[in-house]
Amino acid sequence: MPSLILLMIAGALAYAWWNAARAASEHAIQVGHSACRAAGVQLLDQTVHAVGLRLRRRDDGRLGLERSFRFEYSHDGMDRQRGRMVFHGTRLVSFTGPAPAVASGLLGED
């Protein structure tokens, strides 16, 4: 019986981890779409790819996850350029992509 409870807890933790990763990916896709639309370029493949995950201290000093995503965009449909987004939780902390003006708007800079 205790092994069944441990198995259920492990399953619940695995589901929570998977669900958080999926939600982060969907959020990154929305940010990528917005950035490409604002810069007047095309988001290729209509998706982003997770390329990094690590523990990082947040502004309040607590540990949190930092997730990095890569995406590709095109100015004319023939070229492929790479962009990158880094999130601490749901907050975008770094953006490399279509236009610097778009990046400063996404990060909340003036």
Side-chain angles (χ1 to χ4, degrees):
M1 189 64 150
S3 61
L4 180 61
I5 292 173
L6 291 176
L7 184 62
M8 289 174 61
I9 291 171
L13 289 174
Y15 175 76
W17 180 265
W18 172 82
N19 197 38
R22 184 185 53 76
S25 179
E26 288 177 3
H27 179 66
I29 290 170
Q30 289 175 349
V31 170
H33 275 290
S34 297
C36 289
R37 189 176 323 110
V41 298
Q42 177 184 11
L43 179 66
L44 297 177
D45 305 327
Q46 303 301 312
T47 190
V48 299
H49 306 281
V51 293
L53 177 69
R54 67 181 184 165
L55 283 175
R56 189 83 190 240
R57 291 222 179 261
R58 296 189 293 197
D59 293 338
D60 61 1
R62 295 174 38 202
L63 282 177
L65 289 178
E66 177 184 271
R67 297 177 192 268
S68 300
F69 295 91
R70 182 182 52 112
F71 64 99
E72 294 182 340
Y73 61 95
S74 176
H75 294 283
D76 59 5
M78 299 300 288
D79 64 332
R80 287 182 95 84
Q81 305 291 322
R82 281 199 175 159
R84 182 183 165 130
M85 297 178 276
V86 178
F87 294 89
H88 287 179
T90 58
R91 187 172 62 97
L92 181 66
V93 295
S94 175
F95 180 86
T96 306
V102 173
S104 65
L106 291 172
L107 292 172
E109 299 171 359
D110 294 324

